[in-house]
Amino acid sequence: MLASVKADPGQIEQVFLNLAVNARDAMPNGGNLTIQTGNISIDEGEADKRPPMTPGLYVLLSVTDTGHGMDDATKTHIFEPFFTTKEVGKGTGLGLATVYGVVKQSGALFG
């Protein structure tokens, strides 16, 4: 059984929706979107690689797709509000910024 987390259900729904929309846009000819959850234990060595994480039990949410991916320059900006790689009128640049805000507000960490 998956452990409980402290988060607003509506905001978590928005996280899934935003991630799914980004995956869809990265796979214009189709592909696979995989969402996985699990309970994990983080030891001291792993926690040290991800400050401010501390050792303990966590719930992992993993979202992957078979889209075209992002270059390193794009990756450095993906959580910035209004940053988008989409053409004008096709995106607001708020999708991943919203995901980041919800995750941080919930006390979670990115790994």
Side-chain angles (χ1 to χ4, degrees), residues 13-88:
E13 182 178 335
Q14 189 67 53
V15 165
F16 280 99
L17 181 61
N18 289 1
L19 292 173
V21 166
N22 276 19
R24 178 204 62 200
D25 292 348
M27 303 182 294
N29 298 316
N32 295 309
L33 170 64
T34 304
I35 300 172
Q36 297 176 302
T37 59
N39 298 313
I40 62 169
S41 177
I42 299 294
D43 63 25
E44 192 169 333
E46 282 300 309
D48 286 346
K49 296 176 189 175
R50 296 171 175 84
M53 183 177 270
T54 58
L57 300 175
Y58 290 84
V59 173
L60 173 70
L61 168 63
S62 172
V63 180
T64 58
D65 65 59
T66 57
H68 51 72
M70 293 180 239
D71 60 30
D72 288 337
T74 299
K75 288 178 189 176
T76 64
H77 298 285
I78 60 172
F79 297 121
E80 294 175 8
F82 308 110
F83 175 78
T84 184
T85 58
K86 297 175 183 160
E87 61 188 73
V88 174

